[in-house]
Amino acid sequence: MSTSTLTTWKLDLSHSELLFKVRHLVITTVTGQFNNFEATFESANDDFTDAKIDFKAEVASISTGDANRDGHLKSPDFFDAASHPDLTFTSNALSKNADGTYSLTGDLSLHGVTLPVTLDVELGGTVVDPYGQHKVGFELNGKISRKAFGLTWDAFTEAGGAVVSDEVKIVASVQFVKQA
């Protein structure tokens, strides 16, 4: 079903999170997050399949719960926040799958490199909150190769295992507010 006009939705940061998970020493997973990010999307369809999504995260807002590790991640060894202050995503398509989930494809720009990515998306639903605001929620999951984006720092254990895996899992829970 389609509505007659294009609707703009803006991220509700206080009810959203953007996490990443990466294997450390091959034996555990370290979780981090970006604390400052924004997103908007426009859609005329009630099922959002025509959504045009723009997203930006501030690299310097990275947090893993360890100040030393956060500093290393912001350094030229990894994200190089001084030279590449933002990571961005612009959608190309949001397709509804037979099982009701979605596939979101778009271009992720990180560390000066732009590559296509696909994320799995679940629509959490839509609701009118107690303040009369129309809201919609999504859960997103995906994986990227950090090395493909130029984040190539490596170190190895005595046994030859990587300190940080190449594969990075992306996990986001986002809530949007319909704009008037």
Side-chain angles (χ1 to χ4, degrees):
M1 177 183 270
S2 179
T3 59
S4 59
T5 60
L6 197 61
T7 301
T8 299
W9 298 81
K10 185 176 177 185
L11 183 79
D12 178 352
L13 184 59
S14 66
H15 295 105
S16 300
E17 63 182 4
L18 173 61
L19 307 175
F20 61 89
K21 296 177 176 283
V22 64
R23 298 290 288 175
H24 181 254
L25 299 175
V26 190
I27 60 171
T28 59
T29 299
V30 171
T31 300
Q33 65 185 24
F34 291 95
N35 292 319
N36 297 331
F37 58 97
E38 58 190 49
T40 58
F41 77 89
E42 294 181 328
S43 178
N45 293 344
D46 292 340
D47 68 357
F48 307 109
T49 53
D50 66 336
K52 300 296 182 204
I53 303 160
D54 288 301
F55 169 88
K56 180 172 76 169
E58 181 184 311
V59 171
S61 74
I62 199 167
S63 175
T64 63
D66 181 284
N68 289 331
R69 179 174 44 222
D70 295 349
H72 191 205
L73 289 172
K74 294 173 194 177
S75 80
D77 282 348
F78 283 96
F79 288 98
D80 194 2
S83 297
H84 307 286
D86 299 316
L87 67 91
T88 62
F89 175 85
T90 302
S91 70
N92 295 322
L94 180 63
S95 307
K96 194 168 187 178
N97 303 318
D99 65 358
T101 63
Y102 294 79
S103 293
L104 174 62
T105 59
D107 295 318
L108 178 65
S109 296
L110 170 63
H111 197 250
V113 177
T114 301
L115 294 171
V117 298
T118 300
L119 303 172
D120 299 323
V121 180
E122 287 186 43
L123 172 62
T126 58
V127 68
V128 177
D129 73 9
Y131 306 102
Q133 296 177 314
H134 293 258
K135 295 199 171 183
V136 62
F138 299 95
E139 300 287 330
L140 297 92
N141 291 282
K143 297 177 186 175
I144 63 168
S145 160
R146 68 178 175 86
K147 292 179 182 178
F149 287 92
L151 284 79
T152 57
W153 182 89
D154 266 323
F156 298 93
T157 65
E158 288 179 3
V163 172
V164 180
S165 70
D166 178 40
E167 181 182 271
V168 178
K169 295 178 183 176
I170 299 168
V171 180
S173 180
V174 291
Q175 188 175 116
F176 289 85
V177 180
K178 184 177 184 178
Q179 302 301 292

